[in-house]
Amino acid sequence: PTAAATRKEAGCLAYEFSTSADDPAEVLLYERWAGLDALAAHLKQPHTQALLAKLPELAAGTKLSVRKPVGE
């Protein structure tokens, strides 16, 4: 439900989950937004808030990182 709702948000250019071919427990969430305003609006959405509340449990023992495109 979160992915489908997020993909409909204004400014969402990409929102994709994938797993490693070598380790199915390794998950990558790739998000791309039209700008910081779109990302800020996304973070306030109820479906995003629900996911963020579960994230500590879902991501326990994992490494989380935020990246930005080269040149931005």
Side-chain angles (χ1 to χ4, degrees), residues 2-68:
T2 299
T6 297
R7 289 183 186 119
K8 293 177 184 176
E9 291 179 41
C12 179
L13 304 176
Y15 190 84
E16 302 168 13
F17 286 90
S18 61
T19 57
S20 167
D22 299 326
D23 182 0
E26 182 181 326
V27 178
L28 170 72
L29 168 57
Y30 175 78
E31 298 182 53
R32 183 145 174 102
W33 295 91
L36 292 178
D37 290 344
L39 175 58
H42 163 65
L43 293 173
K44 294 177 183 174
Q45 296 297 315
H47 58 268
T48 304
Q49 289 293 311
L51 177 61
L52 290 173
K54 294 178 185 176
L55 196 56
E57 176 186 338
L58 295 172
T62 65
K63 177 183 175 187
L64 298 176
S65 64
V66 177
R67 298 168 185 248
K68 63 180 186 175

